[in-house]
Amino acid sequence: MKKIYHLLVLALLGAFTFTSCDGFLDMQPTNSGNADGAIATVADAEVALNGVMSAMTSSSYYGRNFFMYGDAKGGDLTIYSAGRGLDAFYTFNHEPNSGSYSSFWSRGYYCILQVNSLLSNIKEQEEKGNVEDFSYVKGQALTLRALFYFDLVRLYGLPYNYNKASYGVPNVTEPLTVQAQPTRATVEENYRQILQDLSDGATFLSGDKSVQNGYVGYYANIALQARVKLYMEDYDGALTAAKEVIESGKYTLYTPETWTASWSKQFGSESIFELGITTEESDLGTSSLGFYLMCYGQLKNAMGWYLASDYFLDRLGEDETDVRWGVMDNDEYWYDNDIERKGACYKYMGGTSLPGDGKATNTAVNIKIIRLSEIYLIAAEAALHSSKAGADVAAGYLNEIRKRAPQLAPATAATITDDMILDERSKELFAEGQRFFDMMRMNKTIEFNDDFQSVPVSHREKTIDRTFGKIVLPISQDEINANPALKEQQNEGYK
């Protein structure tokens, strides 16, 4: 196993290594490269951008852990037994010296520093008088940097609407010197940088150039703006952005009849930003999301690491005809007790029959980062609170998604609530890493399904809210040793 160096120093030297679980990234993919290499053409810049997106598919980021984190900590997932992997997400067993999951920090900043190097190289070419048009690459790079910072500040910083003056993560937007030791910005400063990158990026993406599948386009930028502004409780801004995506006509919602099958397809009508997973370079196999969420023993080495909680199943069970049952199947409890319990999720195996999404292996399933259904749910929540809309408009957006549960009564201006929207987000976005962050930004109490298998949990209570000190990750001791300036900025729950 390779030694892990402190990212913010090592990236400056142009070399970076990861633990063996990220081994596929130890080799340069055939169509990607490091952004700190020579960039003289748009084609060179696109290859570097491919390298950034390849890094996003790591098991320590969108390839697995980021989505697992959001649902395990949010109470929609539970564990069947201890010791199978990623238990700490559920038990909150994090300390600076152990269980810090510092790979979130290192992977996020690796991606950020690659983007910074790419943008710096492009700027140098433009200043030299290079006449090639780098606009489209710049727009994508800025949008991706905004996404990386948005993810990091949610992992390490308190919710914006809870304490935006608290520590977030270092704002690094330029290549660093070897001696640099950046300190943490505030959550508010992070969000300001995120919005600036999104605003700047949108101007470069607003042309007519068509978006290739798997890349960031204009509407992915606007969709991310909607998501970020919702977290900031800028409801007018979130609604405006969500409406722009919806009313563009570029994307369409799946019908109830086609929703389940959509998970076996690549780049479908709802996919606003989807990371391509290839069998040659980014297929995580037995370490993939699909393997972590499928039924124990269904395939060799499938151990059923995480199952849907009773609470989620009860929520989905409000309508037994809900089409979203189509990606759920019997889990290990059924396997051991012969009692039906559809707690295994097959979104990332293409469906319960394990079709994948058309590639040579059924674990090489694309990762859907932003879908149109989420934008409708953002529009519903934002409209409910916006000065530009109201409950009737909010109900209209929500009902487009509630059609997936045909036996539930449609929402009306009189019945729609934040809790109704939150429940719909849980059902629609299950296993997509949203639940924990939703519960925290909405100041909800999370109850964990600890009594399901009576797995001992000693690092949190059965219920937590956002006053709990471990709702954010610690800055790892390795990071503090490499950058002592961070010592006094450790998150309160770990001092």
Side-chain angles (χ1 to χ4, degrees):
M1 183 174 290
K2 300 177 180 179
K3 182 178 179 181
I4 301 178
Y5 292 85
H6 172 57
L7 174 68
L8 291 178
V9 173
L10 187 59
L12 309 176
L13 305 178
F16 196 89
T17 56
F18 294 91
T19 58
S20 58
C21 65
D22 289 330
F24 77 98
L25 284 173
D26 294 340
M27 297 181 294
Q28 287 299 323
T30 56
N31 63 341
S32 65
N34 285 329
D36 56 3
I39 292 176
T41 67
V42 170
D44 294 337
E46 289 174 342
V47 168
L49 193 66
N50 288 346
V52 174
M53 287 187 285
S54 179
M56 293 173 68
T57 66
S58 162
S59 63
S60 59
Y61 200 8
Y62 278 105
R64 187 189 67 210
N65 286 6
F66 190 68
F67 282 1
M68 295 294 294
Y69 182 100
D71 282 72
K73 288 185 177 292
D76 275 1
L77 290 175
T78 188
I79 55 177
Y80 194 79
S81 63
R84 294 182 176 180
L86 305 184
D87 295 13
F89 290 174
Y90 182 76
T91 64
F92 287 69
N93 185 11
H94 306 299
E95 294 296 339
N97 287 304
S98 64
S100 68
Y101 284 87
S102 60
S103 58
F104 281 130
W105 179 283
S106 61
R107 178 61 57 166
Y109 273 108
Y110 173 75
C111 292
I112 287 168
L113 294 175
Q114 287 289 299
V115 166
N116 291 348
S117 183
L118 171 60
L119 291 171
S120 177
N121 274 276
I122 290 173
K123 182 179 180 181
E124 181 179 347
Q125 288 299 314
E126 291 174 335
E127 290 174 346
K128 287 180 178 179
N130 190 322
V131 297
E132 291 208 43
D133 184 3
F134 291 92
S135 297
Y136 191 59
V137 176
K138 287 194 292 186
Q140 292 184 76
L142 288 164
T143 303
L144 287 172
R145 188 169 69 185
L147 175 62
F148 302 148
Y149 268 119
F150 184 56
D151 292 342
L152 284 169
V153 74
R154 289 184 294 160
L155 290 166
Y156 292 96
L158 296 174
Y160 182 91
N161 63 355
Y162 178 39
N163 188 354
K164 63 185 179 183
S166 61
Y167 286 126
V169 296
N171 267 342
V172 181
T173 59
E174 299 286 345
L176 299 175
T177 65
V178 174
Q179 294 78 25
Q181 293 193 331
T183 55
R184 299 175 73 180
T186 66
V187 168
E188 184 175 23
E189 288 167 338
N190 287 149
Y191 272 81
R192 190 180 302 133
Q193 180 61 51
I194 291 163
L195 290 179
Q196 185 65 59
D197 277 349
L198 289 172
S199 177
D200 292 345
T203 63
F204 292 119
L205 294 169
S206 58
D208 294 331
K209 177 168 179 165
S210 62
V211 179
Q212 292 177 286
N213 287 336
Y215 291 84
V216 178
Y218 174 75
Y219 289 103
N221 178 295
I222 302 303
L224 186 55
Q225 288 192 43
R227 186 190 283 180
V228 171
K229 289 176 181 180
L230 186 73
Y231 274 67
M232 299 175 72
E233 295 187 345
D234 175 6
Y235 296 119
D236 288 352
L239 180 58
T240 297
K243 285 176 64 177
E244 183 175 357
V245 175
I246 292 167
E247 294 173 4
S248 72
K250 300 291 185 181
Y251 311 93
T252 55
L253 288 174
Y254 296 117
T255 65
E257 294 76 21
T258 59
W259 187 89
T260 298
S262 72
W263 293 96
S264 64
K265 296 177 173 57
Q266 301 176 51
F267 308 112
S269 68
E270 279 197 24
S271 287
I272 300 172
F273 179 36
E274 179 172 324
L275 275 177
I277 302 296
T278 65
T279 54
E280 295 82 8
E281 293 167 353
S282 49
D283 181 3
L284 296 176
T286 57
S287 295
S288 66
L289 269 169
F291 256 70
Y292 267 59
L293 295 169
M294 70 187 300
C295 182
Y296 170 85
Q298 186 167 2
L299 292 177
K300 183 180 179 181
N301 298 321
M303 295 183 64
W305 281 263
Y306 272 92
L307 293 67
S309 68
D310 290 337
Y311 309 135
F312 172 78
L313 294 175
D314 289 346
R315 195 174 301 122
L316 193 60
E318 292 169 358
D319 181 357
E320 292 298 332
T321 68
D322 193 315
V323 300
R324 290 165 293 203
W325 283 110
V327 293
M328 307 298 294
D329 208 348
N330 282 319
D331 57 28
E332 188 172 357
Y333 185 83
W334 161 82
Y335 186 92
D336 284 350
N337 300 285
D338 200 26
I339 298 174
E340 183 172 278
R341 187 182 190 278
K342 292 189 178 295
C345 178
Y346 289 85
K347 281 184 174 180
Y348 305 104
M349 300 296 283
T352 57
S353 62
L354 316 184
D357 67 4
K359 305 188 189 82
T361 63
N362 49 21
T363 53
V365 174
N366 289 359
I367 304 299
K368 297 172 175 64
I369 295 179
I370 305 178
R371 297 193 292 120
L372 183 62
S373 55
E374 179 192 350
I375 304 307
Y376 271 84
L377 291 165
I378 289 173
E381 185 179 340
L384 187 60
H385 297 278
S386 174
S387 64
K388 299 179 179 180
D392 55 339
V393 175
Y397 285 122
L398 181 61
N399 285 334
E400 291 300 312
I401 307 302
R402 279 173 73 89
K403 289 177 181 178
R404 290 163 185 177
Q407 292 187 4
L408 293 185
T412 68
T415 63
I416 190 170
T417 64
D418 280 324
D419 285 339
M420 183 184 289
I421 298 169
L422 183 61
D423 283 352
E424 200 63 38
R425 286 181 65 90
S426 168
K427 290 184 280 190
E428 178 65 22
L429 304 175
F430 177 66
E432 296 179 55
Q434 303 260 17
R435 181 66 172 178
F436 175 67
F437 302 115
D438 281 343
M439 296 294 277
M440 291 297 96
R441 70 179 175 82
M442 298 185 76
N443 196 19
K444 299 293 184 180
T445 297
I446 300 171
E447 182 173 5
F448 294 92
N449 202 176
D450 295 343
D451 48 346
F452 170 53
Q453 285 292 107
S454 298
V455 176
V457 178
S458 59
H459 301 279
R460 59 155 173 77
E461 301 297 327
K462 182 175 172 57
T463 61
I464 66 165
D465 59 28
R466 67 190 192 182
T467 65
F468 178 50
K470 291 189 174 183
I471 67 165
V472 291
L473 287 171
I475 308 300
S476 76
Q477 192 60 47
D478 286 343
E479 296 292 338
I480 292 172
N481 292 342
N483 183 0
L486 295 174
K487 182 177 181 180
E488 299 304 316
Q489 297 184 329
Q490 179 64 275
N491 285 323
E492 291 295 328
Y494 305 99
K495 289 183 176 180

